[in-house]
Amino acid sequence: MNEAYKEMAGRLIVALDYPDAHQAKALLQELEGIPCYMKVGMQLYYAAGPDFVRELKTRGYKVFLDLKMHDIPNTVKGGAESITRLGVDMFNVHAAGGSEMMKAAMEGVDKALQSDASLRKPLVIAVTQLTSTGQDMLNQEIGIPGTVQDAVIRYAELTQAAGLDGVVASAQESGMIAEACGKDFVTVTPGIRPAGSDQGDQKRVLTPGEAIRGGSTYIVVGRPITGSEEPRAAAESIIKEMLNA
């Protein structure tokens, strides 16, 4: 396993979107040895809890805890402190919660780090607009005027000003985010679908290669791997496409 492969595999985040730990562990067995990130979202976390996150860390994986916190600043501060104590490598909040809420999340991280020198600072990122959000939904239902891209850039700039490390956005917006916030600002991009695969409920999608070429720092892939009859082969194929981008 060469360094280029390791580096690119580390930019692939596999979404463990399962209803229980048993099914998630079956996938881990299939992917054993691939040094990718693992994403634990609401469904799995609410079912398996922090112990499963600790198990992933024991197995040597980096973990993105995808709970999208969005609440009053003090509540998010407490949640961020607890998440940091759990030892995850990345977690997120909603940028729509505003700058004070995002700053409070960073205060929670700092509080945990100050109390335990063995902890490492996680990447803290903010959701701009979900990849299931289209133009009509943004304007007519959420009530935000302008284009989806305008809203994403506005939230990205707000996130950076609040001191966070990056954002969650569609890979279609990665280049614009880098232009607005700099190339060191992290972009985590879900809605990734290999060529020819089903888009499902995603609206703003790109292939793995397109995402990497466009400037995505990390790509999140769920169903094209977890729903595959050969998940290891699917993951390897995606990493190969990333390497060739």
Side-chain angles (χ1 to χ4, degrees), residues 15-98:
L16 299 176
D17 294 331
Y18 291 106
D20 56 59
H22 177 74
Q23 293 183 51
K25 289 177 182 179
L27 182 74
L28 295 179
Q29 188 171 354
E30 290 277 352
L31 301 183
E32 187 173 356
I34 299 177
C36 52
Y37 244 95
M38 292 295 174
K39 182 177 82 72
V40 177
M42 295 180 190
Q43 184 181 26
L44 182 56
Y45 188 77
Y46 295 158
D51 284 344
F52 183 74
V53 173
R54 295 187 185 100
E55 180 174 345
L56 286 173
K57 294 301 299 177
T58 299
R59 287 173 177 249
Y61 288 107
K62 288 189 174 182
V63 178
F64 169 23
L65 187 58
D66 179 22
L67 299 183
K68 301 182 181 72
M69 289 192 291
H70 187 173
D71 213 311
I72 63 172
N74 193 57
T75 298
V76 170
K77 178 180 177 179
E81 181 182 355
S82 295
I83 287 172
T84 303
R85 290 183 187 279
L86 186 55
V88 304
D89 302 275
M90 182 190 301
F91 73 89
N92 57 5
V93 300
H94 264 291

Side-chain angles (χ1 to χ4, degrees), residues 36-242:
C36 52
Y37 244 95
M38 292 295 174
K39 182 177 82 72
V40 177
M42 295 180 190
Q43 184 181 26
L44 182 56
Y45 188 77
Y46 295 158
D51 284 344
F52 183 74
V53 173
R54 295 187 185 100
E55 180 174 345
L56 286 173
K57 294 301 299 177
T58 299
R59 287 173 177 249
Y61 288 107
K62 288 189 174 182
V63 178
F64 169 23
L65 187 58
D66 179 22
L67 299 183
K68 301 182 181 72
M69 289 192 291
H70 187 173
D71 213 311
I72 63 172
N74 193 57
T75 298
V76 170
K77 178 180 177 179
E81 181 182 355
S82 295
I83 287 172
T84 303
R85 290 183 187 279
L86 186 55
V88 304
D89 302 275
M90 182 190 301
F91 73 89
N92 57 5
V93 300
H94 264 291
S99 59
E100 291 305 311
M101 187 206 77
M102 289 191 282
K103 290 175 183 177
M106 299 310 296
E107 291 171 5
V109 170
D110 289 341
K111 186 176 180 181
L113 295 175
Q114 290 167 11
S115 67
D116 185 347
S118 70
L119 295 171
R120 297 182 63 182
K121 181 186 177 298
L123 291 173
V124 186
I125 58 177
V127 177
T128 54
Q129 292 296 326
L130 300 173
T131 50
S132 58
T133 300
Q135 189 70 48
D136 288 344
M137 180 187 293
L138 182 77
N139 299 152
Q140 304 302 322
E141 297 183 24
I142 301 175
I144 295 177
T147 67
V148 173
Q149 289 76 18
D150 289 339
V152 167
I153 298 304
R154 184 167 63 250
Y155 277 154
E157 292 173 337
L158 186 70
T159 298
Q160 187 175 47
L164 276 66
D165 299 291
V167 291
V168 181
S170 163
Q172 293 179 7
E173 288 108 34
S174 292
M176 291 180 284
I177 292 168
E179 185 175 336
C181 301
K183 292 185 178 180
D184 291 335
F185 194 62
V186 172
T187 52
V188 178
T189 57
I192 303 299
R193 292 289 185 270
S197 64
D198 183 12
Q199 289 191 9
D201 56 0
Q202 306 281 8
K203 299 292 192 297
R204 304 187 337 273
V205 301
L206 287 180
T207 67
E210 289 170 337
I212 294 299
R213 287 193 296 273
S216 296
T217 314
Y218 299 94
I219 67 170
V220 181
V221 182
R223 283 166 281 187
I225 294 174
T226 60
S228 172
E229 292 184 1
E230 298 183 3
R232 187 180 190 87
E236 294 279 11
S237 176
I238 288 168
I239 295 169
K240 181 178 180 181
E241 184 178 343
M242 294 166 70

